[in-house]
Amino acid sequence: QFAVLTIGDGLITLNPHENGPLRFVSGFSRKVGGAELNFAIGCARLGLQSKWVSRLGNDEFGRVIYNFARGEGIDVSNVEFVEGYPTSLNFKEIREDGSGKTFYYRQQSPILTLKPEDMTKELLEGIDMLHLSGVFLSIDPGNRKIIERVLKLAKEMSIPVSFDPNLRLKMWTIEEARTTFEEVFPYVNILLTGLDEIELILGESSEEALVECAERFNIGQFVIKDGANGARAYIDGNWYEKEAFVVKPIDTVGAGDGFDAGYIYAYLNGYLPEERLELANGVGALVTTVSGDNEGLPYLDEVLPFIHKEIVIER
Ligand code: KDG
């Protein structure tokens, strides 16, 4: 199978036992999250080889995340435990419609110890897609050097790059994000972005503005996720569109990461543009039906019958 590589913080994610404002919630379930890790899990479940580069605290929670990732079949040979940096936490607030809010405790994330020198040719050997996200970049300005190095290596080695801006305005300002994305976009082959976030990044989200951005940075596949309204993509001069699947969402956090995994799986396996959007929509939809960032990520034999509306008899 094809191999993907991603880099990012792993978090202990605390899912609330009740919906509504966090200040009234007293019970939480300890789960695992992190945008790039969710992506890596999504890819592994679909059957891709999935490598995740990270740093974890040398503590109980670090072990939880490591064992979880390993249990999902992710290549964790580039995940290290570091002293003096506690594993990051994320408390989630969930509203009645399933949408979520994050409250981070990650000021001293273990991933601050990752260095540009950790990005090597050897790390990228055999990789078919390098997937990066704005979350990692938002953690520390120093991470730009790491991303610059891995992007240059990927270019040298002709490895395509997918990127999800994953704009987190609790982590950095829109100005910082914009300046950083200007540096990253020229390396990106596949951009996977939410409609609302690209509107914040570009200041508008008209079709002309999206095409202008795709052309300015020479982004071959410019994919727009719009949740329950479906997804669109501008690919080599043409627009493609696919409606969303109707589900009853209970926790939408992580749906975008699932969408990305579905899209990249489909692209690597030669699916046509509309089929890529369809699989990605299917993965994203299924994520929202289960509590937790990644528990709902489907295996291939779950998502295919779902998107083709096949009846699965279980008895
Ligand atoms: O996409 C899901 C993420 O938002 C969540 O897992 C936490 O990585 C995370 C982040 O920093 O937002």
Side-chain angles (χ1 to χ4, degrees):
Q1 249 307 350
F2 296 101
V4 299
L5 174 94
T6 190
I7 305 164
D9 204 10
L11 301 110
I12 288 291
T13 298
L14 292 126
N15 253 71
H17 288 169
E18 301 101 45
N19 291 347
L22 207 57
R23 75 189 88 115
F24 301 116
V25 177
S26 54
F28 296 88
S29 288
R30 191 216 61 217
K31 295 171 180 270
V32 165
E36 298 89 354
L37 175 55
N38 296 336
F39 171 83
I41 297 167
C43 289
R45 293 231 182 123
L46 292 171
L48 295 172
Q49 283 182 49
S50 183
K51 197 194 267 194
W52 173 56
V53 179
S54 194
R55 295 292 179 267
L56 296 167
N58 193 15
D59 48 34
E60 292 297 315
F61 286 153
R63 289 192 184 107
V64 169
I65 298 174
Y66 185 84
N67 290 347
F68 187 85
R70 200 163 53 164
E72 292 292 339
I74 292 170
D75 177 346
V76 290
S77 53
N78 290 279
V79 179
E80 289 174 17
F81 295 99
V82 292
E83 286 300 337
Y85 293 81
T87 296
S88 302
L89 306 179
N90 172 24
F91 286 84
K92 276 162 70 175
E93 180 177 288
I94 307 286
R95 303 184 201 94
E96 286 308 325
D97 65 354
S99 64
K101 232 177 165 179
T102 49
F103 294 85
Y104 301 124
Y105 293 79
R106 64 186 325 179
Q107 283 75 6
Q108 229 198 316
S109 164
I111 208 145
L112 293 171
T113 63
L114 195 71
K115 297 180 293 301
E117 305 82 81
D118 294 318
M119 302 296 114
T120 60
K121 272 197 160 171
E122 198 192 351
L123 183 66
L124 289 169
E125 214 68 67
I127 296 298
D128 300 293
M129 181 68 66
L130 170 65
H131 179 80
L132 301 171
S133 128
V135 176
F136 175 65
L137 281 157
S138 73
I139 293 172
D140 185 68
N143 289 352
R144 283 156 77 164
K145 285 264 165 291
I146 298 174
I147 292 300
E148 187 188 341
R149 182 160 161 131
V150 76
L151 285 172
K152 288 197 167 140
L153 283 173
K155 192 168 184 179
E156 246 177 79
M157 296 168 77
S158 305
I159 298 169
V161 174
S162 56
F163 185 74
D164 186 332
N166 264 329
L167 188 63
R168 302 282 184 264
L169 292 177
K170 281 187 178 163
M171 300 289 294
W172 58 353
T173 65
I174 186 70
E175 290 77 23
E176 287 168 321
R178 279 190 191 130
T179 322
T180 307
F181 295 154
E182 292 254 334
E183 292 171 10
V184 173
F185 282 0
Y187 291 91
V188 174
N189 303 93
I190 304 180
L191 185 79
L192 299 147
T193 177
L195 180 65
D196 52 343
E197 71 184 341
I198 198 71
E199 187 168 325
L200 286 165
I201 296 164
L202 302 179
E204 57 168 320
S205 63
S206 65
E207 219 148 273
E208 298 74 57
L210 302 176
V211 168
E212 201 265 327
C213 178
E215 284 170 359
R216 176 151 64 103
F217 295 108
N218 198 20
I219 300 172
Q221 302 183 50
F222 202 97
V223 185
I224 315 286
K225 307 180 252 184
D226 193 15
N229 300 316
R232 284 181 286 159
Y234 183 71
I235 301 176
D236 300 327
N238 296 302
W239 279 103
Y240 301 88
E241 198 170 340
K242 207 74 199 175
E243 71 281 4
F245 293 95
V246 181
V247 286
K248 199 164 170 280
I250 62 161
D251 179 0
T252 64
V253 180
D257 308 326
F259 180 102
D260 295 356
Y263 190 92
I264 296 306
Y265 172 87
Y267 169 71
L268 289 173
N269 282 284
Y271 286 37
L272 297 173
E274 271 147 1
E275 297 169 337
R276 290 174 216 160
L277 295 174
E278 183 182 47
L279 188 79
N281 279 340
V283 175
L286 288 173
V287 171
T288 70
T289 62
V290 184
S291 161
D293 283 19
N294 47 55
E295 284 83 339
L297 285 163
Y299 291 88
L300 196 63
D301 64 5
E302 293 172 324
V303 69
L304 292 181
F306 172 75
I307 64 171
H308 298 132
K309 302 193 171 56
E310 285 164 19
I311 311 248
V312 180
I313 299 168
E314 285 183 46
R315 56 167 290 138

